[in-house]
C-alpha cells in the first residue's frame, strides 16, 4: 500500500471535492445521474505516457493527458484535478490512496506529469481526471483508466534466464514448458524478449497480435521486451507456455542496420496474481524443452521456408508428448539492458485481395494487389505431401508480364511452402520475414490457383492515422496517398529506408526530410521517441560514426526532438535528447570552418533529377542517377535549423542562458551563410539551382530586405530554366511549397506538383506508382519504388494549403492561414492532435471563398482569411474577434468550436 502524498491538513481541505468526486465516480460505474450541474466540458479520452491504458510505462513520472470536447464555443479549461488509486474499487470510492493532485489552476491537458511517490514495477495504477471551465464550474470525472509500470531491474525478472536450443545453429526452434497452477488466476502478465524474433504461445494458441517482435534495436545498448495481458489464457490446472524463435538477420544483413548476431534465444517471465491475492511466477530456465519446427529457413532479405510436414500439432498445449525433445541451454545475455517496448507494435493492419491474376508462362501465376506494400502473402492450397509452392515478390513487372526484381537487388524475397498432404486445405503465411511488393509470383501450385487462394498481408508499426487531406485535384490527392503509404511501409520497429531491397536500415537523412509529414499523418510520438533512444542526436547510422556530425544525417534527430514537443507536447523526449542536441550543435559550430559546412562531407539535397544522357526522359537505366547535390549549402542551412531547434528547446526547458547561446549560434550561421552563398546581386544563392533558394526562403535565412529579390529569381529559374518542373532532391522537395508560399507563389508550386512529365510525382503516378520512388527516374543505379524520403511535401498540404500550424506545444495555440492557389477550387485537411480535432476546409465558388475552421476545446486559434480580390470583405461568425487586416488577409482570434468565414 502506498502512503498518501498529501498531508492530513491538505486532505481535509480537499475532502469536500473528493466526496463529490466519489459520488461522480459512483455515477460513472452505476449509471446513476450526478446530483449537481456541471460544465459543458467533457473529457473524451485519457492517455498515460501518450498511450491509452499502457501495460509498460518506464517513466517514473509518466505524462498524463486528456482531450476535451464541448457543445459551446470558446471552451477553456481553467483547472484540473487528477487522482490515482491502487485499485478500481478505491478509485470508484474517490479514495486516491496513491496520489491526488488537488485542484491545480492550469489549462494544461497534455504532458501533465504524475506527481506522486515512486511506483513499484509491474503494477497497475488507476486514475481519472476532472477539469473546471473558465467560469470555475467542474466537469464530471473522466471514465477510469489505468497504466502499468514496466519492469525496471534484473531483480524484477524473478530469476528468469536467457535460454536457447543447446545447438547454437538450430533453425527456428520451438521452446516449451509445462506448468501447473493450483489456484484461480485473477491477473497475469507475460514479459518476453526473443532474439532476433519471437512468438509467445499459451495453451494452444499464439498470444496477442504482434508480428515481427521484438524488432530491430541497438542490441549492445538496448534490448526490448513486450508485455502481454495473459489473464484469460491461463487457468487453474495444467498449462503450457511456448516460444517460437526466429532469426531474421542473416549473415548478409546490412551493417548499417541493427542486427542481432547471436543465436536464437529468449527470456520470459509470467507474473501471476491469484484470486486470493497471492503471487506466482513461471520463468525461462534450462528446464524448458526444445525441438526444430516447420520453419527451415528465415531471413529478412531472402524470405522464409516452411515445411508443413514438420509441424508438431499441440506443441504449445498440455498433454503434448515432448519425450523426443531436447533440453534447452542457458545462454549469455545480450550486452544491452532490457527495456519495455513502448512504441506501437508491428501488426498486420490490412489484408488485400488481388485485383488481377495473370499467367505469363505455363505454371507461373502473377498476382497484382494494386498497391505497393510492406508485408507478405498468405496462400492456401490442397495437394500431395511434399508439394513445394514458391512465392516471390517484386514491385514491378517486365513487359512480358513476369516479375521485374531489379529493385530487390540482392534480396531474394522468396518464401516457400511445402505441403503436409493432409487432404484438407492448408494455409501458410510467413512469421519471421517481410517484403516490399505489389506483385506476387506463385509457382509449383498444385492445380490452378484462383483469386481467393492468395491474399497480401499489410504489416507495419500500428501507428494510428491522425491526418486526412482532400482537394479538388485528383493528382494532388494521389500524391498525398502515395506518400502516406511510403511512410507506413517504412515504419517497422524502426524507420527504414525501404522494405524492398537488402537494406531496411534506419535512414536518419530520410526521416529528417519527412518527419514533419509523418507526425501530421500518423501518431508517431512513441515510435519516434523510441527511435531517438536508439539513435540519439549525433548518431548517423549503426556502424557509421564517420557521418555522426553531418547535419544532413545525424542532425535530423536534433530537429526531430523539437518536433515531438511541438506536435505532441512530449517534454520527456525533448529533455532526454537535449544534452545530445547541445553537444551536436556546439561541436559543429566549433569544427565547421567559418560555420560553413565543407562540400566533401555529406549528401546535400539528395537525389535531385538526373538530366544527363542516361535519363532517357525519366525511364533511366543502370547507369543513371546523380544523387549528391549542393552539399555545403544544404548542410549549412540545416545546421542553422538545428541551432534554432536547440534554442527553442532550451527556452521550453527553462535554460535561458542556453537559449541565448544557441540564438547567437544561429545568428552567426545565418550571417556566415549569406556572406558565403548569397551572390553580389543579392537575388540568388550559390549555383542558383532551385534548392539553393528554397532552403534559405523556407528556413528563414534570407535577409528580410532580400526576400522578394531572391523569390523573384527563384521563380525565373523555375519557369524559364526548369520549365516549371521540380529540380529538387529530398530537402528541396520538402520545402518547395513553404518557400514559394513565403513569396505568395503557391500557384507555381501547384503547377510543379501537377506536372505529369519527368521529373515529378505525376510522372511516377503515370507509370503506375502507388508509393513514392527513391529517385525521380524509373530505373537507376540505385532505385526502389518505395522510399519515404520524398514524402515530406505532404507536410505542406496541411501547413500551407490547409494552413494548419501549431504555435504552441501540442496545439495549445494554433494558426490557420490557408493559401488559395489558382487552379485549386477546394481543399480540406483534418488533424487529430493530442488536444483534439483541428480542421480547415475551404472552397472557392466564383469570386467567393468559404473557409471553415474547427478548433478543439482548450485550444485557441488565429485565423487568417485570404482575400481573393482587392476590396473583398469578410463575413465572420459572431464571437470571432477581428484583430487586423491587410490587403490580402483579414485576421481573427477564435476559441474552440467550428467557425465559418466567407470572403467576397
Amino acid at each position: 500500500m502506498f502512503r498518501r502524498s498529501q498531508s492530513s491538513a491538505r486532505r481535509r481541505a480537499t475532502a469536500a471535492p473528493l466526496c463529490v468526486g466519489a459520488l461522480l465516480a459512483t455515477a460513472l460505474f452505476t449509471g446513476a445521474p450526478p446530483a449537481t450541474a456541471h460544465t459543458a466540458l467533457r473529457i473524451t479520452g485519457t492517455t498515460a505516457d501518450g498511450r491509452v491504458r499502457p501495460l509498460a510505462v518506464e517513466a517514473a513520472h509518466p505524462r498524463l493527458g486528456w482531450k476535451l470536447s464541448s457543445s459551446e464555443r470558446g471552451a477553456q479549461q481553467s483547472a484540473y484535478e487528477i487522482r490515482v488509486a491502487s485499485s478500481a474499487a478505491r478509485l470508484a470510492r474517490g479514495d486516491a490512496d496513491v496520489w491526488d493532485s488537488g485542484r491545480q489552476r492550469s489549462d494544461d491537458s497534455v504532458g501533465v506529469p504524475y506527481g506522486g511517490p515512486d511506483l513499484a514495477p509491474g503494477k497497475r495504477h488507476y486514475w481519472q481526471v476532472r477539469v473546471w471551465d473558465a467560469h470555475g464550474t467542474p466537469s464530471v470525472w473522466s471514465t477510469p483508466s489505468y497504466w502499468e509500470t514496466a519492469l525496471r531491474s534484473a531483480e524484477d525478472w524473478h530469476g528468469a534466464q536467457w535460454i536457447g536450443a543447446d545447438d547454437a545453429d538450430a533453425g527456428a526452434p520451438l521452446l516449451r514448458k509445462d506448468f501447473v497452477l493450483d489456484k484461480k488466476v485473477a491477473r497475469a502478465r507475460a514479459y518476453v524478449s526473443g532474439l532476433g524474433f519471437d512468438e509467445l504461445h499459451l495453451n494452444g494458441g499464439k498470444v496477442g497480435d504482434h508480428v515481427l517482435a521484438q524488432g530491430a534495436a541497438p542490441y549492445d545498448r538496448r534490448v526490448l521486451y513486450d508485455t502481454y495481458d495473459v489473464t484469460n489464457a491461463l487457468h487453474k490446472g495444467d498449462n503450457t507456455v511456448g516460444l517460437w524463435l526466429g532469426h531474421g538477420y542473416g549473415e548478409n544483413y546490412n551493417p548499417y542496420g541493427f542486427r542481432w548476431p547471436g543465436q536464437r534465444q529468449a527470456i520470459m517471465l509470467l507474473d501471476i496474481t491469484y484470486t486470493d491475492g497471492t503471487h506466482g511466477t513461471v520463468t525461462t530456465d534450462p528446464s524448458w524443452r526444445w525441438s526444430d519446427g516447420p520453419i527451415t529457413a528465415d531471413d529478412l532479405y531472402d524470405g522464409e521456408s516452411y515445411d508443413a510436414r514438420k509441424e508438431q500439432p499441440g506443441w504449445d498445449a498440455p498433454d503434448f508428448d515432448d519425450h523426443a525433445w531436447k533440453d534447452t541451454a542457458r545462454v549469455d545475455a545480450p550486452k544491452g539492458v532490457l527495456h519495455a517496448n513502448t512504441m506501437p507494435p508491428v501488426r498486420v493492419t490490412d489484408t488485400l485481395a488481388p485485383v488481377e491474376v495473370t499467367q505469363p508462362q505455363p505454371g507461373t501465376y502473377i498476382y497484382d494487389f494494386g498497391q505497393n506494400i510492406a508485408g507478405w502473402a498468405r496462400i492456401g492450397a490442397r495437394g500431395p505431401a511434399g508439394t513445394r509452392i514458391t512465392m516471390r515478390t517484386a514491385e514491378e513487372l517486365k513487359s512480358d508480364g513476369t516479375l521485374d526484381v531489379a529493385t530487390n537487388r540482392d534480396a531474394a524475397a522468396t518464401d516457400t511452402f511445402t505441403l503436409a498432404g493432409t487432404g484438407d486445405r492448408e494455409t501458410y503465411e510467413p512469421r519471421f520475414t517481410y517484403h516490399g511488393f505489389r506483385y506476387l509470383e506463385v509457382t509449383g501450385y498444385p492445380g490452378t490457383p484462383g483469386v481467393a487462394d492468395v491474399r497480401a498481408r499489410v504489416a507495419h508499426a500500428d501507428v494510428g492515422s491522425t491526418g486526412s487531406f482532400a482537394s479538388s485535384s485528383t493528382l494532388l490527392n494521389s500524391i498525398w496517398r502515395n506518400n502516406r503509404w511510403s511512410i507506413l511501409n517504412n515504419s517497422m520497429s524502426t524507420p527504414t529506408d525501404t522494405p524492398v531491397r537488402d537494406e531496411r536500415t534506419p535512414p536518419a537523412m530520410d526521416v529528417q526530410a519527412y518527419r514533419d509529414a509523418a507526425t501530421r499523418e500518423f501518431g508517431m510520438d512513441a515510435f519516434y521517441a523510441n527511435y531517438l533512444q536508439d539513435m540519439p542526436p549525433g548518431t548517423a547510422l549503426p556502424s557509421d560514426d564517420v557521418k555522426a556530425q553531418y547535419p544532413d544525417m545525424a542532425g535530423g534527430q536534433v530537429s526531430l526532438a523539437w518536433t515531438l514537443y511541438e506536435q505532441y507536447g512530449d517534454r520527456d523526449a525533448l529533455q532526454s535528447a537535449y544534452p545530445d542536441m547541445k553537444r551536436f550543435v556546439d561541436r559543429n559550430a566549433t569544427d565547421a570552418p567559418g560555420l560553413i559546412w565543407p562540400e566533401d562531407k555529406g549528401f546535400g539535397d539528395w537525389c535531385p533529377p538526373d538530366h544527363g544522357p542516361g535519363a532517357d526522359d525519366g525511364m533511366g537505366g543502370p547507369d543513371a542517377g546523380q544523387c549528391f547535390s549542393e552539399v555545403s549549402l544544404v548542410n549549412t542551412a540545416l545546421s542553422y535549423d538545428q541551432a534554432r531547434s536547440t534554442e527553442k528547446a532550451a527556452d521550453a526547458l527553462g535554460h535561458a542562458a542556453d537559449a541565448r547561446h544557441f540564438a547567437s549560434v544561429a545568428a552567426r550561421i545565418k550571417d556566415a551563410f549569406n556572406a558565403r552563398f548569397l551572390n553580389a546581386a543579392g537575388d540568388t544563392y550559390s549555383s542558383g539551382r532551385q534548392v539553393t533558394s528554397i532552403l534559405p526562403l523556407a528556413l528563414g535565412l534570407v535577409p528580410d530586405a532580400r526576400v522578394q529579390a531572391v523569390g523573384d529569381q527563384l521563380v525565373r529559374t523555375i519557369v524559364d530554366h526548369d520549365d516549371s518542373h521540380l529540380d529538387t532532391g529530398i530537402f528541396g522537395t520538402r520545402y518547395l511549397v513553404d518557400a514559394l508560399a513565403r513569396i505568395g507563389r503557391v500557384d507555381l508550386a501547384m503547377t510543379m506538383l501537377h506536372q505529369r512529365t519527368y521529373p515529378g510525382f505525376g510522372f511516377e503516378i503515370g507509370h503506375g506508382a502507388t508509393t513514392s520512388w527513391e529517385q525521380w527516374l524509373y530505373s537507376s543505379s540505385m532505385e526502389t519504388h518505395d522510399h519515404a524520403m520524398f514524402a515530406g511535401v505532404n507536410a505542406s498540404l496541411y501547413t500551407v494549403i490547409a494552413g494548419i500550424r501549431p504555435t504552441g506545444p501540442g496545439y495549445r495555440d494554433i494558426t490557420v492561414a490557408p493559401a488559395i492557389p489558382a487552379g485549386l477550387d477546394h481543399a480540406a485537411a483534418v488533424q487529430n492532435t493530442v488536444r483534439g480535432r483541428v480542421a480547415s476546409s475551404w472552397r472557392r465558388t466564383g469570386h467567393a471563398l468559404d473557409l471553415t475552421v474547427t478548433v478543439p476545446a482548450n485550444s485557441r486559434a488565429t485565423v487568417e482569411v485570404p482575400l481573393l480580390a482587392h476590396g473583398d470583405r469578410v463575413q465572420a461568425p459572431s464571437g470571432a474577434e477581428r484583430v487586423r487586416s491587410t490587403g490580402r488577409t483579414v485576421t481573427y482570434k477564435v476559441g474552440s468550436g467550428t467557425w465559418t468565414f466567407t470572403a467576397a
Side-chain angles (χ1 to χ4, degrees), residues 17-18 20-21 24 43 79-81 128-132 138-141:
L18 285 175
V20 173
L24 296 176
I43 299 167
Y80 68 82
E81 180 181 8
Q128 57 188 168
V129 61
R130 65 172 172 173
V131 302
W132 283 261
S139 73
V140 298
W141 286 96

Side-chain angles (χ1 to χ4, degrees), residues 315-614:
W315 71 273
D316 53 1
D319 300 325
F320 176 79
D321 182 2
D322 66 359
H323 77 274
W325 286 40
K326 304 173 185 177
D327 290 333
T328 59
R330 182 176 180 177
V331 299
D332 292 336
K335 292 181 180 179
V337 176
L338 280 164
H339 285 277
N341 185 4
T342 58
M343 63 182 168
V346 178
R347 289 190 172 102
V348 173
T349 62
D350 203 356
T351 299
L352 305 182
V355 297
E356 185 179 25
V357 184
T358 59
Q359 187 180 186
Q361 297 172 352
T364 298
Y365 301 90
I366 302 294
Y367 288 77
D368 177 6
F369 295 101
Q371 175 62 53
N372 214 12
I373 68 166
W376 51 80
R378 182 178 68 196
I379 193 165
R382 181 184 289 108
T387 301
R388 190 169 186 264
I389 302 171
T390 299
M391 298 181 290
R392 191 168 60 136
T393 63
E395 296 183 292
E396 301 290 349
L397 297 179
K398 296 179 181 177
S399 58
D400 63 359
T402 61
L403 286 192
D404 183 350
V405 298
T407 60
N408 290 358
R409 202 162 66 181
D410 291 331
T414 302
D415 303 315
T416 62
F417 176 32
T418 302
L419 299 182
T422 63
D424 296 326
R425 180 179 174 84
E426 302 177 52
T427 302
Y428 163 72
E429 62 182 289
R431 280 174 167 82
F432 302 133
T433 191
Y434 77 96
H435 315 293
F437 68 102
R438 171 176 173 174
Y439 300 98
L440 173 73
E441 174 195 84
V442 176
T443 57
Y445 193 90
T448 302
V451 171
D453 293 315
V454 178
R455 291 291 184 266
R457 304 277 272 168
V458 179
H460 52 73
D462 193 10
V463 291
S465 176
T466 56
S468 64
F469 175 82
S471 74
S472 56
S473 165
T474 56
L475 180 56
L476 197 61
N477 298 342
S478 294
I479 293 170
W480 169 77
R481 177 183 177 277
N482 284 11
N483 287 337
R484 275 175 60 94
W485 269 102
S486 293
I487 293 170
L488 284 177
N489 292 345
N490 285 286
S491 299
M492 302 303 284
S493 58
T494 186
T496 62
D497 48 8
T498 173
V500 182
R501 65 170 177 246
D502 50 333
E503 287 191 11
R504 307 178 209 186
T505 58
M509 182 168 63
D510 297 16
V511 173
Q512 183 169 196
Y514 72 79
R515 67 166 189 270
D516 294 325
T519 53
R520 284 163 173 83
E521 300 287 6
F522 306 105
M524 303 297 286
D525 184 11
F527 182 83
Y528 278 147
N530 180 80
Y531 170 65
L532 283 173
Q533 292 292 315
D534 288 346
M535 293 182 59
T539 309
L541 290 169
S543 307
D544 196 5
D545 290 341
V546 172
K547 302 177 183 67
Q549 285 299 130
Y550 289 11
D552 55 13
M553 287 288 284
Q557 292 91 299
V558 172
S559 301
L560 176 61
W562 172 254
T563 297
L564 295 187
Y565 181 70
E566 180 184 61
Q567 290 293 311
Y568 306 111
D570 191 342
R571 189 180 182 90
D572 289 350
L574 188 66
Q575 183 75 59
S576 177
Y578 182 66
D580 289 317
M581 296 168 70
K582 290 189 358 177
R583 189 177 304 113
F584 181 87
V585 172
D586 277 336
R587 179 173 173 182
N588 279 352
T590 299
D591 292 352
L595 298 173
I596 301 298
W597 195 258
E599 188 67 37
D600 61 347
K601 292 183 179 179
F603 298 82
D605 194 26
W606 185 241
C607 290
D610 180 359
H611 294 293

Side-chain angles (χ1 to χ4, degrees), residues 20 55 99 110 251 366 409 481 493 529 536 671 707 757 798:
V20 173
L55 294 183
W99 178 63
V110 173
E251 292 294 328
I366 302 294
R409 202 162 66 181
R481 177 183 177 277
S493 58
D671 290 344
V707 166
T757 52
Y798 293 90

Side-chain angles (χ1 to χ4, degrees), residues 520 734 738 794-806 817:
R520 284 163 173 83
R734 157 62 189 97
D738 297 12
N794 270 27
S796 300
L797 302 182
Y798 293 90
T799 62
V800 176
I801 303 302
I804 301 170
R805 298 192 301 274

